[in-house]
Amino acid sequence: MTDLRFLNDEKLMDLLFTEGDGLERGVVDEFVRRGGMVARLGKLVSDPYSWNESLPAWWAVVHAVYILGAAGSAAAALPLLRSLRYAEACENDWVTEDLPSIFGKVGLPAAEGLRRIACDETSGWYARGLALEGLAAVTLTEPDTAESTFRLARDILRDVKEELMLRQLAGHVLLDFQRTECRDDLLAFGSEERGLSGDDPARKTGFTDTDVRREFELKRMSLERYTRDWLEFYEPSAIENRRKRWEQERLAQADTPEHAPAFELCPFAPDRKRKKCCLGKAGVA
């Protein structure tokens, strides 16, 4: 690759759109080194159309989010909060999986915005849950925020008017961080879950009271989701593994008819509409 130091900002930005998921780590490091690129990256992730580009430009927002997280500056907080909204709406799992740890790196500048999203009952449960996980990640570097963050998680867990999936997620946050003051609430919710699963065996249970007892007996925090290194995405081995994966998918789908429109059921997963299955996912022709 050309010596990145000699590329102007515009040409450096172009690489986000042209290199797909094979973008090299050196490009990320060059963005961070220049420092003044946060505004450009923020504009990219704040544009809703950017989240629905065709390949390879589809990857540009993923790279932009990862680079903003690597920069970790206060200026990155607002565009990353917008990214949370768009990634959730567009079901961009690459971004949503890493946002909690990214917000943990940004820290306090993102906390107030995350709290507003987590408390916003007009938002979807998953966006609120991501915000809550981001707040939990912030506590690892800003312990003074822990009391208010885990109190919010506890309030959500207790509130039977909240969506069940959000309550499950709040419970998982409290379990992950071994919040012993919430043990009784977690046991009560776990018992509730066990009773509901008994009424409907096909229902997916978040955790039961037995799970809660076991987790507290282990006395081990589970923090991988809040501390993962999202920049491992750019390791040569990770790039090569993805290349093999996409090729395997391409061969597997070579004899499959053209994909259904967004509103029709997906032929690769007949129980899901295309919008909630393969649309926009890399590796799908």
Side-chain angles (χ1 to χ4, degrees), residues 256-275:
T256 304
E258 283 292 318
H259 212 315
F263 55 85
E264 293 184 5
L265 292 179
C266 173
F268 307 129
D271 61 328
R272 307 187 78 194
K273 290 186 179 180
R274 184 188 178 201
K275 179 182 177 184

Side-chain angles (χ1 to χ4, degrees), residues 61 86 109 156 168 180 183 228 241 264 281:
V61 288
Y86 289 131
I156 291 172
Q168 287 178 353
T180 54
R183 179 186 172 98
R228 69 172 60 180
N241 287 339
E264 293 184 5
K281 301 293 176 67

Side-chain angles (χ1 to χ4, degrees), residues 5-276:
R5 294 173 299 174
F6 296 110
L7 293 181
N8 61 30
D9 290 353
E10 197 65 39
K11 296 236 178 249
L12 193 65
M13 284 290 296
D14 286 345
L15 293 176
L16 305 187
F17 293 86
T18 62
E19 300 304 300
D21 67 317
L23 189 75
E24 296 181 2
R25 173 64 183 267
V27 177
V28 175
D29 294 339
E30 181 63 18
F31 269 98
V32 175
R33 186 189 71 80
R34 296 191 186 190
M37 301 290 283
V38 169
R40 281 175 176 261
L41 295 167
K43 184 176 180 181
L44 171 60
V45 301
S46 299
D47 181 353
Y49 293 102
S50 299
W51 292 85
N52 289 293
E53 291 274 13
S54 300
L55 295 172
W58 183 89
W59 287 100
V61 288
V62 178
H63 297 313
V65 168
Y66 287 173
I67 296 167
L68 286 166
S73 64
L78 181 57
L80 285 170
L81 289 165
R82 290 171 176 161
S83 296
L84 186 157
R85 296 282 197 184
Y86 289 131
E88 185 269 343
C90 297
E91 298 180 339
N92 190 317
D93 296 342
W94 293 94
V95 171
T96 57
E97 283 297 309
D98 288 309
L99 274 176
S101 55
I102 288 173
F103 281 120
K105 169 74 180 296
V106 175
L108 207 54
E112 183 55 34
L114 289 170
R115 179 169 293 278
R116 289 181 182 179
I117 296 173
C119 294
D120 181 7
E121 295 182 2
T122 66
S123 294
W125 74 266
Y126 190 44
R128 295 178 65 193
L130 281 173
L132 185 60
E133 289 179 321
L135 282 169
V138 170
T139 68
L140 294 172
T141 54
E142 301 289 343
D144 288 347
T145 65
E147 182 179 353
S148 60
T149 292
F150 296 120
R151 183 170 61 247
L152 173 60
R154 187 180 193 176
D155 289 344
I156 291 172
L157 177 71
R158 286 174 162 177
D159 191 348
V160 296
K161 296 179 182 178
E162 292 281 13
E163 288 196 49
L164 184 60
M165 296 292 284
L166 179 60
R167 294 176 69 203
Q168 287 178 353
L169 193 149
H172 279 296
V173 168
L174 296 170
L175 283 173
D176 288 343
F177 282 80
Q178 289 281 294
R179 302 302 296 187
T180 54
E181 75 276 16
C182 302
R183 179 186 172 98
D184 289 344
D185 294 301
L186 288 163
L187 286 169
F189 180 79
S191 179
E192 175 188 336
E193 284 277 84
R194 183 160 52 83
L196 290 173
S197 64
D199 296 336
D200 180 8
R203 180 180 170 277
K204 186 175 181 180
T205 303
F207 56 87
T208 68
D209 48 345
T210 301
D211 298 324
V212 173
R213 292 188 183 94
R214 183 177 63 249
E215 288 299 313
F216 279 113
E217 285 173 3
L218 291 172
K219 297 181 180 179
R220 180 185 63 206
M221 291 196 289
S222 301
L223 302 181
E224 191 275 336
R225 179 157 173 78
Y226 313 93
T227 61
R228 69 172 60 180
D229 181 7
W230 64 93
L231 295 180
E232 288 181 352
F233 180 91
Y234 300 100
E235 293 294 328
S237 59
I239 294 173
E240 178 62 15
N241 287 339
R242 286 194 298 274
R243 186 195 66 77
K244 291 178 179 178
R245 175 183 167 188
W246 305 150
E247 180 62 14
Q248 289 170 354
E249 288 188 7
R250 185 188 69 80
L251 293 173
Q253 297 166 10
D255 297 326
T256 304
E258 283 292 318
H259 212 315
F263 55 85
E264 293 184 5
L265 292 179
C266 173
F268 307 129
D271 61 328
R272 307 187 78 194
K273 290 186 179 180
R274 184 188 178 201
K275 179 182 177 184
K276 293 186 177 296

